[in-house]
Amino acid sequence: MNVNQSAPPVPPFGQPQPVYQGYHQSSYGGQPGSTAPTTSYGAYNGPVPGYQQTSPPGVSRAPPSSEAPPASTAQAPCGQAAYGQFGQGDVQNGPSSTVQMQRFPGSQPFGSVPLTPVVSQPTVLQPYGPPPTSAQVTAQLAGMQISGAVAPALPPVGLGYGSPASLASASGSFPNPGLYGSYPQGQAPPLSQAQGHLGAQPPQRSAPPQASTFTSPASGGPRMPSMTGPFLPGQGFGGPSLSQPNHVSSPPPQALPPGTQMTGPPGPPPPMHSSQQPGYQLQQNGSFGPARGPQPNYGSPYPGAPTFGSQPGPPQPLPPKRLDPDAIPSPIQVIEDDRNNRGSEPFVTGVRGQVPPLVTTNFLVKDQGNASPRYIRCTSYNIPCTSDMAKQAQVPLAAVIKPLARLPPEEVSPYVVDHGESGPLRCNRCKAYMCPFMQFIEGGRRFQCCFCSCINDVPPQYFQHLDHTGKRVDAYDRPELSLGSYEFLATVDYCKNNKFPSPPAFIFMIDVSYNAIRSGLVRLLCEELKSLLDFLPREGGTEESAIRVGFVTYNKVLHFYNVKSSLAQPQMMVVSDVADMFVPLLDGFLVNVSESRAVITSLLDQIPEMFADTRETETVFAPVIQAGMEALKAAECAGKLFLFHTSLPIAEAPGKLKNRDDRKLINTDKEKTLFQPQTGAYQTLAKECVAQGCCVDLFLFPNQYVDVATLSVVPQLTGGSVYKYACFQVENDQERFLSDLRRDVQKVVGFDAVMRVRTSTGIRAVDFFGAFYMSNTTDVELAGLDGDKTVTVEFKHDDRLNEESGALLQCALLYTSCAGQRRLRIHNLALNCCTQLADLYRNCETDTLINYMAKFAYRGVLNSPVKTVRDTLITQCAQILACYRKNCASPSSAGQLILPECMKLLPVYLNCVLKSDVLQPGAEVTTDDRAYVRQLVTSMDVAETNVFFYPRLLPLTKSPIESATEPPAVRASEERLSNGDIYLLENGLNLFLWVGASVQQGVVQSLFNVSSFSQITSGLSILPVLDNPLSKKVRGLIDSLRAQRSRYMKLIVVKQEDKLEMLFKHFLVEDKSLSGGASYVDFLCHMHKEIRQLLS
């Protein structure tokens, strides 16, 4: 058959099928085939007679194995996980030998379920026309059963073609209906993407091994026109939908009579095809748009591909159809498309309301009047003109702001503008700073504020003439008139007590109790500090850092050290009255490193020896912070405390805590107390720290519960960070700890900062999320702010907006630099406003939306039961999508799931948030882990939440060894794993190297320097340094992944079917999780049900 010929959009099972050459079908439809040649393949799902098969290029095949891997219940050893020990509490999504699979007879009545119409659809970015266009995608859910009953699914890829008699289904249907309960038959949303021309494809089969390639429309080959073919009685099909670039849809199901199973249609089997002609390869598709061939970075797209062309055997019943995972929106495909479409050109910020490339795309930014997306990202770049419209859409209007974000080397840091003693020019009424959107009038003598419309005089020293367009002739010479981001030097009026600040100080406060000494932590830390003090942050170009340092050790009492340069040896002073903390010395406590180098080195040598024989196990905590803050107050400077702490502070002192860890509270109304601090003392202490500009970074090394929820209050409210190393062991964890410490000490920080976000008339900032303190409703106060922290701001309408003038945001951050200079950093952003909902939905950014929703939910667990928080998220998501469906999509049947193009990943990402440890913990997730992750996510940027909630899974042996680029990722599902391959998985905190059981011996030798899979050490955290291309490539890739993240990711090597595999599977987020989280497929069905309920 000529591929350019029209193909029927549905498989008309009743009639003879067109002959696709080389495409053999064995006993399909329940009757023996007639002309299949004799081959070495066994019947589908039958025994495997001496099966040897070579894979076509790009499709990896697992060797046969009918054995289910043992579901181990062993717990991960302490310290294995980078955060928390999940042990067994994770995802077992593949085989389980306890559930017997049922077969349904192939001759049951088909129930009038329409088969899927096919809509073909390009995924390239299309220029949007005026109508609310939409990319309609259709999925073959017709005939699929998503319910609580056990339905046979195809065996996972890693299991080859063995008998599936003992396999649980891989994801469409589970014995346990899970969180969302069962999905009634006939209501499953037929949810497929435009799966270009699957007309002649039997459902749920992957490409036959012997098929030759076929160029799909996506890759530029000839395009097959779609055509309607004859239908079965009872099938309703109104012709293929029009191709619309803004949404994805699916055909309506029809309800089945109760008890009807959806199986193959009755009727004669299709004829077998001749084997002499070239084959026709089935199309797979990772996203919306025309069909793609099997994608080079995917393993077998479906578990256990059918063995077409086997010997005719006894009639085999047809397994019920499962929703095709390749037919639903793929994060990998969306990311790949954005990289291809937008990664090559610089993003120029001159145009108002432009949606930037995704955070996963590498792109250059050219600032031409709006702040770079590295500083500000919005949930939507086109906001509704009225509050009624905003309420109708339910899309949160929020900006994720990262004021001190680090830029790549090829981009220029914000220019510093010095206006001398007069200081920066501002609006007299709303105090907004001069920016490119201010309008100069009356020949340049006055300007109209773009935020509040007040008319202000231009000071004589700032006056400049206007050109014929009304622009100042010096506009391009002044950063504040031409750029979106810039800095002003602040005058003394912007300083505390009207005097310029002193350079900040760093105080290292080291726990020297028994646990800290015994683990080797104190010795390791003191050794590292000797060299690390040479790398304190400094202003560009200066010889040495202006930052002074001090040292405190503590257990039940505090020891202060005098390290004045004139002393021969350091002096120790002990403060045992921890209830009334004071600093016993002023002179000699905070010193310049280069002046006191010898005394500091001597002290760091002595500390591990002094406390080597300690038996003191109790520690204090609040008095330590109090002491550091008092020392900064006495020195009249801002600064940062680095606290290294090991245990729950149970010694008699202010801030004493008790062990209140209680897993019985999970899923009760009192669960929220686990996230709340035990005592109000730490909030009061944090407030005093913020007033002094004292930021706290906390490094925790717990062997058991330490109440992270309470200990992290001060770091959280002062803009600091928390690092946690459970069950710290020097040999396993030193690289991670030292890397985090070096980075934390060296990073550029703004101290004693205040941030305010101003908006143009019509909207205002109403809510803030992040690590900071607020004493009023407008000022975000940060004792410290570094380049990794974000502040998320939500806006609401207080008036009508104007489509012509749009909406403006200005973020102003006043801070003290590392050299003690007071500065103002300004970021400006102009957004469009719309009166049509379609314009809102066309300009949203899902990654930013998920960042906001996660932070909103993670704050919600402090005050509401977790179930309420989860339900709120699901409802809001359903309302957003239902509003789009109702107001923007072209008319179609209620059975179709229609998603806006730029929000098609909202369900998969939201499901990842709902399944996260904070909102749905597995049995092995500790209370401390949940509190730790909760406060981490609160100040993450959009790129960090993106990879945290949807981890990257990279196959390592698919791409050529000599290729320098990162291998293309695959979807985070067990179905994508091939047991002949090796994969890296990263989520910004964890890094796993998964090794399949059938990896070639040469690969094992090249990477691990052992001769077989069985000799690889499970849980290994460092790869041997070997001189071969594969070893160099994998180690280089690991280094480059670590360089992209703000925290060091410890490597854990996981062998297939090993007890650690449970921990690894926890991060395969498209699968059902052991803690009850839905699979992506199930959640999509649930979302569709919610949307239909809202629409009806």
Side-chain angles (χ1 to χ4, degrees):
M1 161 191 169
N2 176 359
V3 291
N4 290 322
Q5 235 169 278
S6 301
V10 295
F13 290 107
Q15 310 94 28
Q17 300 234 24
V19 177
Y20 286 129
Q21 300 95 339
Y23 182 30
H24 311 302
Q25 285 184 287
S26 69
S27 31
Y28 191 72
Q31 296 181 26
S34 49
T35 59
T38 305
T39 73
S40 58
Y41 300 110
Y44 178 55
N45 275 350
V48 186
Y51 151 71
Q52 281 295 318
Q53 175 186 346
T54 53
S55 308
V59 181
S60 78
R61 282 277 170 267
S65 146
S66 55
E67 215 169 77
S72 162
T73 54
Q75 191 172 329
C78 191
Q80 289 291 8
Y83 78 81
Q85 293 71 47
F86 293 90
Q88 76 214 39
D90 299 284
V91 185
Q92 169 72 347
N93 182 29
S96 145
S97 51
T98 55
V99 184
Q100 288 300 319
M101 196 160 208
Q102 305 153 11
R103 285 226 171 259
F104 299 106
S107 58
Q108 269 185 308
F110 186 57
S112 59
V113 178
L115 290 160
T116 312
V118 173
V119 185
S120 120
Q121 185 72 32
T123 38
V124 293
L125 281 172
Q126 303 182 356
Y128 295 116
T133 54
S134 0
Q136 292 228 24
V137 200
T138 349
Q140 68 263 45
L141 249 207
M144 161 189 166
Q145 174 192 8
I146 298 194
S147 76
V150 179
L154 307 170
V157 167
L159 303 165
Y161 297 93
S163 158
S166 62
L167 303 184
S169 61
S171 98
S173 19
F174 272 81
N176 168 13
L179 180 79
Y180 301 108
S182 61
Y183 201 88
Q185 285 180 2
Q187 284 185 30
L191 203 176
S192 111
Q193 289 149 232
Q195 176 108 340
H197 317 290
L198 287 167
Q201 175 182 359
Q204 309 304 322
R205 305 281 170 116
S206 63
Q210 67 271 42
S212 68
T213 55
F214 162 78
T215 311
S216 73
S219 54
R223 184 153 183 174
M224 308 199 300
S226 83
M227 103 184 217
T228 51
F231 300 109
L232 295 174
Q235 266 183 346
F237 177 40
S241 322
L242 296 172
S243 169
Q244 302 184 343
N246 207 30
H247 70 266
V248 264
S249 74
S250 57
Q254 290 170 7
L256 297 179
T260 309
Q261 299 288 356
M262 305 201 236
T263 56
M272 288 295 151
H273 307 311
S274 140
S275 60
Q276 275 80 19
Q277 295 146 320
Y280 168 79
Q281 180 153 3
L282 288 161
Q283 299 308 299
Q284 298 310 338
N285 177 359
S287 166
F288 304 159
R292 290 169 175 72
Q295 297 178 21
N297 44 330
Y298 283 1
S300 168
Y302 309 125
T307 50
F308 296 111
S310 61
Q311 300 176 354
Q316 293 278 348
L318 181 70
K321 287 183 253 182
R322 230 186 92 210
L323 182 57
D324 173 5
D326 276 342
I328 54 182
S330 159
I332 303 302
Q333 196 59 52
V334 171
I335 288 168
E336 205 53 46
D337 290 345
D338 193 75
R339 279 181 183 157
N340 295 336
N341 293 326
R342 307 196 66 185
S344 50
E345 294 295 311
F347 178 69
V348 180
T349 71
V351 182
R352 181 178 86 186
Q354 279 186 105
V355 182
L358 298 180
V359 283
T360 43
T361 300
N362 277 330
F363 59 99
L364 267 181
V365 179
K366 288 194 173 162
D367 185 341
Q368 291 191 357
N370 283 294
S372 158
R374 302 193 205 288
Y375 295 122
I376 306 182
R377 277 189 178 262
C378 295
T379 52
S380 178
Y381 289 81
N382 200 333
I383 59 182
C385 281
T386 64
S387 59
D388 290 346
M389 193 172 152
K391 277 178 197 147
Q392 189 184 357
Q394 286 283 318
V395 176
L397 304 176
V400 180
I401 306 174
K402 199 176 181 183
L404 297 179
R406 284 185 307 279
L407 301 181
E410 50 276 18
E411 290 178 25
V412 186
S413 292
Y415 290 101
V416 181
V417 179
D418 186 357
H419 281 316
E421 288 189 12
S422 60
L425 187 55
R426 304 174 70 173
C427 167
N428 290 329
R429 185 197 291 162
C430 70
K431 302 296 181 205
Y433 292 87
M434 179 53 68
C435 72
F437 311 122
M438 298 287 190
Q439 190 67 44
F440 286 87
I441 52 175
E442 297 179 23
R445 286 189 297 279
R446 308 176 87 183
F447 72 92
Q448 182 169 22
C449 175
C450 52
F451 293 93
C452 68
S453 305
C454 173
I455 291 176
N456 300 267
D457 291 330
V458 174
Q461 72 274 16
Y462 199 77
F463 173 78
Q464 186 53 272
H465 296 285
L466 309 183
D467 65 13
H468 64 287
T469 64
K471 243 188 155 150
R472 282 175 56 125
V473 294
D474 65 348
Y476 292 106
D477 302 329
R478 290 188 176 272
E480 74 273 23
L481 299 181
S482 57
L483 298 177
S485 301
Y486 42 87
E487 290 200 324
F488 291 120
L489 280 188
T491 58
V492 76
D493 305 335
Y494 291 88
C495 303
K496 263 188 196 160
N497 308 326
N498 276 5
K499 67 178 206 184
F500 284 111
S502 311
F506 282 179
I507 304 177
F508 296 91
M509 318 190 86
I510 306 167
D511 176 347
V512 288
S513 64
Y514 175 72
N515 280 340
I517 296 291
R518 190 198 58 180
S519 67
L521 168 66
V522 174
R523 189 173 297 278
L524 178 70
L525 175 59
C526 291
E527 205 50 50
E528 177 62 27
L529 285 178
K530 288 184 207 169
S531 54
L532 188 53
L533 294 177
D534 291 329
F535 298 99
L536 299 177
R538 64 192 76 178
E539 290 290 286
T542 52
E543 282 287 307
E544 60 180 56
S545 175
I547 291 175
R548 292 170 298 162
V549 299
F551 300 89
V552 172
T553 57
Y554 67 94
N555 38 46
K556 264 169 49 172
V557 297
L558 277 76
H559 322 104
F560 292 79
Y561 296 93
N562 184 345
V563 282
K564 201 172 175 182
S565 55
S566 56
L567 295 173
Q569 285 293 324
Q571 294 172 346
M572 174 164 124
M573 300 184 185
V574 180
V575 176
S576 53
D577 183 5
V578 288
D580 183 18
M581 185 43 65
F582 67 99
V583 181
L585 76 162
L586 291 179
D587 191 27
F589 179 63
L590 294 177
V591 296
N592 179 293
V593 175
S594 54
E595 289 171 12
S596 297
R597 159 73 58 205
V599 193
I600 291 173
T601 304
S602 170
L603 171 66
L604 293 171
D605 283 334
Q606 287 176 38
I607 287 174
E609 306 308 327
M610 256 188 297
F611 298 98
D613 301 323
T614 185
R615 285 284 168 268
E616 185 54 75
T617 55
E618 292 188 359
T619 56
V620 295
F621 188 73
V624 184
I625 296 174
Q626 181 86 34
M629 183 196 64
E630 297 290 350
L632 293 177
K633 195 183 276 184
E636 295 185 347
C637 68
K640 186 184 263 198
L641 312 182
F642 295 85
L643 245 84
F644 304 89
H645 189 80
T646 60
S647 57
L648 193 68
I650 55 171
E652 272 312 320
K656 173 186 174 180
L657 301 178
K658 61 179 192 292
N659 187 335
R660 53 159 186 169
D661 190 16
D662 186 359
R663 293 195 61 83
K664 291 198 287 295
L665 297 182
I666 291 176
N667 295 326
T668 69
D669 284 354
K670 289 189 175 172
E671 184 173 6
K672 60 190 177 205
T673 60
L674 296 174
F675 296 110
Q676 296 165 353
Q678 267 188 54
T679 156
Y682 287 96
Q683 268 116 326
T684 311
L685 182 56
K687 188 175 167 182
E688 293 172 27
C689 286
V690 171
Q692 185 47 49
C694 167
C695 174
V696 179
D697 279 359
L698 175 59
F699 292 79
L700 283 171
F701 305 86
N703 289 333
Q704 54 205 30
Y705 178 75
V706 288
D707 200 349
V708 173
T710 305
L711 297 189
S712 64
V713 165
V714 179
Q716 178 79 8
L717 292 177
T718 58
S721 307
V722 180
Y723 298 85
K724 178 166 165 282
Y725 310 88
C727 305
F728 180 80
Q729 294 173 312
V730 169
E731 58 279 10
N732 288 337
D733 301 296
Q734 79 170 45
E735 193 179 354
R736 178 170 156 238
F737 163 54
L738 294 181
S739 175
D740 285 343
L741 176 64
R742 286 169 194 148
R743 199 187 149 122
D744 196 55
V745 168
Q746 293 173 35
K747 66 186 171 191
V748 173
V749 182
F751 293 96
D752 210 0
V754 181
M755 182 179 117
R756 182 176 282 194
V757 179
R758 294 179 174 83
T759 54
S760 53
T761 312
I763 54 169
R764 62 196 169 90
V766 293
D767 207 353
F768 300 84
F769 304 81
F772 52 76
Y773 177 76
M774 291 186 80
S775 54
N776 57 34
T777 56
T778 53
D779 294 339
V780 175
E781 298 173 47
L782 303 122
L785 176 68
D786 60 55
D788 298 323
K789 297 279 188 312
T790 63
V791 175
T792 302
V793 186
E794 187 184 4
F795 303 97
K796 289 250 162 72
H797 287 75
D798 57 7
D799 204 347
R800 192 186 169 85
L801 290 166
N802 183 334
E803 250 184 312
E804 305 258 311
S805 53
L808 301 175
L809 316 178
Q810 183 179 78
C811 162
L813 177 79
L814 174 66
Y815 70 99
T816 302
S817 74
C818 293
Q821 198 175 48
R822 203 72 175 144
R823 291 184 179 179
L824 281 153
R825 180 170 287 203
I826 313 295
H827 298 297
N828 303 287
L829 186 63
L831 302 172
N832 286 330
C833 297
C834 58
T835 52
Q836 299 295 318
L837 283 166
D839 293 326
L840 164 70
Y841 282 101
R842 213 177 268 139
N843 293 281
C844 287
E845 198 190 37
T846 301
D847 292 325
T848 312
L849 204 53
I850 288 293
N851 179 286
Y852 165 82
M853 291 171 100
K855 289 172 181 176
F856 179 80
Y858 280 19
R859 187 177 68 184
V861 298
L862 289 172
N863 305 307
S864 308
V866 171
K867 185 180 184 311
T868 309
V869 173
R870 295 164 47 81
D871 292 346
T872 305
L873 281 183
I874 292 171
T875 306
Q876 184 173 18
C877 180
Q879 283 172 330
I880 291 171
L881 298 176
C883 173
Y884 175 80
R885 172 62 194 266
K886 185 175 172 187
N887 299 289
C888 310
S890 54
S892 57
S893 151
Q896 291 182 301
L897 173 57
I898 301 180
L899 303 171
E901 175 67 20
C902 68
M903 280 191 193
K904 62 189 180 191
L905 298 181
L906 187 60
V908 62
Y909 286 162
L910 183 72
N911 190 35
C912 296
V913 174
L914 294 170
K915 283 160 56 164
S916 63
D917 297 324
V918 173
L919 298 183
Q920 196 161 30
E924 295 304 311
V925 184
T926 67
T927 307
D928 274 347
D929 288 328
R930 297 177 73 196
Y932 174 62
V933 170
R934 196 193 76 77
Q935 61 82 30
L936 260 184
V937 169
T938 307
S939 47
M940 276 186 182
D941 70 10
V942 179
E944 286 171 325
T945 50
N946 173 274
V947 77
F948 179 74
F949 289 114
Y950 192 96
R952 280 205 295 174
L953 183 61
L954 307 172
L956 298 185
T957 54
K958 297 256 170 65
S959 55
I961 287 182
E962 59 280 0
S963 159
T965 55
E966 215 170 80
V970 296
R971 291 167 71 163
S973 166
E974 192 177 355
E975 295 188 356
R976 307 289 167 181
L977 299 177
S978 149
N979 61 6
D981 207 346
I982 292 181
Y983 296 81
L984 257 183
L985 181 143
E986 65 118 356
N987 75 340
L989 297 180
N990 306 280
L991 189 59
F992 293 96
L993 187 71
W994 183 88
V995 186
S998 309
V999 169
Q1000 291 173 356
Q1001 189 188 341
V1003 172
V1004 171
Q1005 185 72 49
S1006 300
L1007 265 188
F1008 301 100
N1009 205 21
V1010 294
S1011 55
S1012 70
F1013 173 80
S1014 59
Q1015 292 174 303
I1016 300 171
T1017 310
S1018 179
L1020 191 71
S1021 59
I1022 297 172
L1023 290 180
V1025 178
L1026 303 172
D1027 188 15
N1028 66 66
L1030 182 63
S1031 177
K1032 286 177 182 166
K1033 178 183 173 177
V1034 173
R1035 284 182 290 110
L1037 178 60
I1038 288 171
D1039 290 343
S1040 89
L1041 291 179
R1042 283 172 173 161
Q1044 292 168 28
R1045 305 293 168 213
S1046 61
R1047 291 173 183 241
Y1048 183 90
M1049 298 184 290
K1050 179 182 165 185
L1051 179 71
I1052 299 178
V1053 173
V1054 176
K1055 293 162 69 176
Q1056 187 176 4
E1057 299 180 21
D1058 185 80
K1059 63 176 186 277
L1060 273 177
E1061 200 181 24
M1062 283 303 201
L1063 178 60
F1064 170 77
K1065 285 180 181 174
H1066 178 79
F1067 298 97
L1068 300 178
V1069 289
E1070 287 200 19
D1071 299 335
K1072 193 175 171 80
S1073 72
L1074 277 193
S1075 53
S1079 70
Y1080 175 20
V1081 169
D1082 292 349
F1083 183 70
L1084 206 45
C1085 296
H1086 179 71
M1087 267 334 292
H1088 186 232
K1089 194 168 81 176
E1090 294 278 322
I1091 292 165
R1092 287 178 69 177
Q1093 278 174 354
L1094 286 172
L1095 292 174
S1096 63

